[in-house]
Structures are given as structure tokens and as C-alpha cells.
Amino acid sequence: MSNIKLDIINAACFLQPGTVEAFEPKVKAAQEALENGTCPGNDFLGWLHLPSSITDEFISEIENTAKVLRENCEAVVVAGIGGSYLGAKAVIEALGNSFEWLMNDKNNPTILFAGNNISEDYLYELTEYLKGKRFGVINISKSGTTTETALAFRLLKKQCENQMSKEMARKVIVAITDEKKGAARICADKEGYKSFIIPDNVGGRFSVLTPVGLLPVACAGFDIKALVRGAQEMEAACGKDVPFAENPAAQYAAVRNGLYESGKKIEIMVNFQPKLHFMSEWWKQLYGESEGKEGKGIFPASCDFTTDLHSMGQWVQEGERSIFETVISVEEPNKKLLFPSDEENLDGLNFLAGKRVDEVNKMAELGTRLAHVDGGVPNICISIPRLDEKYLGQLIYFFEIACGISGNVLGVNPFNQPGVEAYKKNMFALLDKPGYEAESEAIKKRVGVEG
Ligand code: PA5
């Protein structure tokens, strides 16, 4: 069984010798606390052994629901924000064809995302695009009350019912939400939609291996059994009884906390495959929302290389030395393309003729990592054999368990997000939402808006 691999040599060398090893007791204690449910936020640990608890029957139920959508829809819109969309988006982008949206593939519905912004232009253009199309909606919200998602869903539900029929809409609208509470649950029960439950003890950003991620991924035509299998393999590889030096999640948690304590406040997640752009976005939410609290936490940033070497590369090479990089290195591409020879050689690139494009990319990657290490940027490398369902499942669980450990080592509750409420309170007050009268008056005065 091959696994994703972690290499911290080029990061640990920036720390005093023995620093990573010295984290072992803290990391072990953090992992014990997660296992025993004695850590802060212990009512949100349902993700910890989620992969090994997923049954074949449950996967079949998701696949059967996906089949209904795939058979009846040219497009499926996933409405959700934060943890209710980023995981699915990350997996679908990583596995999908970069130009799928141009291909008009009759066998595969186009998967679209909404409810992750409040842009009028975006929603207008989406509703225009969907005009005349057979489309379904997966409405995802754990709380069932998130404004961005609810707003998009109201528009999409109406359009779906008008364009198809109320009866057909019932067949192609699926809800993924709380078992009992929230507007999404009330609506699903009233309309008789097929629905899945987001377990109470699984927070949004840890929910990609629940129907939140699995249903959209299955709708896109990918193998969710393999995705879950990969996660199960990583659950075993990062278990609490795995020795510290052999446990990649423990090592990652230790080295990044060591770097943070040494003044490296920013971690840049780097890829050399544009398909991984949204994996970084998912990772940013996972780590940012889990660790950024109480005035603490590494700032999670991301770059797509080599693209961003022509924009951010200068900063990374020579800017303030407060950063470290974590590179996701894909060992083998899924497709093969050789660089052609050219008689005239006007571009001077004949020295690359006959080589795979990936060989050039790999040398760019190696050269970049060396240059950045030479420039004072610690480098962590996560190798993934190739982009397929199994290895993405491994990567997802690896980041989740490492995040749980790392947040505990940092001394925060990684499973809450109290800071997210502040903007909502102001927005509702400014919009005169009932119940916010007192805040409305105060905030309007502050920004100089007439009541
Ligand atoms: O990680 C989290 O809990 C959040 O980012 C949520 O996923 C996000 O706010 C969406 O919430 P909900 O699923 O309740 O609509």
C-alpha cells in the first residue's frame, strides 16, 4: 500500500536541533486528548474516526442519489459556503478535466457552485446560464440558516420549479443539513426532498467525508468508495499508536508549531498543478478557521506555481522572512505529453525536445524549492503519487487529523469559529433584520446611514 509522504528535512533544519522531537510529548498528549474526547471542542470530534465508520450501504445510498441527479440533469448546482462547499470543489477540480466546461459532455452533468458569495452579477449570470437547462440543486448548510446559501437556494428552487415542474424539482433537489433544525431542514421535510444529515459532532470544515463532500463528488462521476478508502488508510497511518517519527500528521503538527514559535507566522501552501488550487482553498479554511483565534495562529496562504512565481515569487524569495512553504508535489501526472522538436528552434527550446512536460515542471519545482530554502524559507514537502480519489482521500484525512493535533498543541479550540459571527451581526443590523433593532440604530449612526 503506497501512501502520501511527508518530508520535513528542509524545514526542521531551520530549527534548533531536536526541536521537532521535543514536541513529541505535546503532540502525543494532543492526540490522546482527541481520542479520549478530553480536548476543547470535544463535542465536535465526529470526523476523527469518520472514514472507518462509513459503510458500503451508506456509500450506495449516496451513489443512488447521485444517479438520479446524473440521469435527470445537465447541470447540478451545489449551494453552500465554507465547509459546505470547499471540500467538494477541491476534489472535483483536482480530479476533473480542466476544460470540461467546454466539452458539453452529455453523460456528465456540469457541477456548478453557488451560495458562496452574495454577488448579484454572479447569481444573475448563473440563473441566465441555467435558463432552458435541466438542472438539480444540492442545498448544503449544516445550520440551515446561512444567508449566502439561503439566498442562492431561494432563487434556484424557484427557477428549478418553474423550468421543470414542482414534481420534477422534488426529484432533483437534495438537502444536506441538520437532522432536526434550520430552515433547510424545514423546507426539505415540507417539500419531501431527499435529504442527508450532517452529523451534529462534525463541524463544517471537517465535513468533506460526509454527504457534504461525497454527494457532489459522486454527482461529478468520481469514485467515492476509493476516496473513503484513501481516508481510511490515512486514519490507520496517523493513528495514536503509530510512533511519533512515523506518523506524518504528528510530524507535520510538530514542525509547523516549531516554525511558528521560531517566528514563521505564515504558511504558504504551494502546488505545481493548477488542479490543486481549490485544495489549497479548502486547506486555508481548515487551518485558518481552526487555529486563528485568541490572538494566535499561523496565517494560511497559498500560491499556484509556476504561475505565481511570476507574481509572488519575488516576495517569497526575498521578502520578510516570516514564512514557510508546504509543497504538495504530485509524483506522476495522469496524462502524457511530450515536448516537440522544431527545425528552426527559434525559441531555443530544442534542448527539451522529446522530454515530458512534467519533467520540466518537476525541475521547476525542485529548482524553486532549493532557491526558496537558500533564501531562508523552510520547506515542507508532501508527495502524492498521483491525483486520484484514493490519494486525495489520504490527503484530506491527513490534513484533518494534523489540524486537530496542531490546534491542540497551539492551545486553542480548533473546532469552533466564534469570530465568524461578527460580520454577520453587522450585516443583519444594517439590513434591518428583525431582532437586530438595537444594533441597527448603533451601527447606522456609526457609518452615517439614515435609519
Ligand atoms: O467550518 C465551518 O463550520 C464553517 O465554515 C461553515 O462550514 C460555514 O460557515 C457554512 O455553514 P453552514 O453549513 O451552517 O451553512
Side-chain angles (χ1 to χ4, degrees), residues 301-319:
S302 65
C303 280
D304 299 329
F305 288 165
T306 60
T307 313
D308 294 338
L309 286 172
H310 297 259
S311 55
M312 295 301 291
Q314 171 61 35
W315 201 103
V316 176
Q317 190 69 45
E318 295 182 351

Side-chain angles (χ1 to χ4, degrees), residues 198 282 290:
I198 308 177
W282 171 80
S290 298

Side-chain angles (χ1 to χ4, degrees), residues 80-85 140-146 149 198 203-207 285 289 415 417 420 424:
I81 194 166
S84 289
Y85 106 100
I140 309 180
S141 178
K142 184 171 179 192
S143 62
T145 55
T146 301
T149 307
I198 308 177
R205 57 191 173 277
F206 288 85
S207 70
Q285 187 209 353
E289 223 167 39
F415 309 118
Q417 55 282 331
V420 179
K424 293 184 193 168

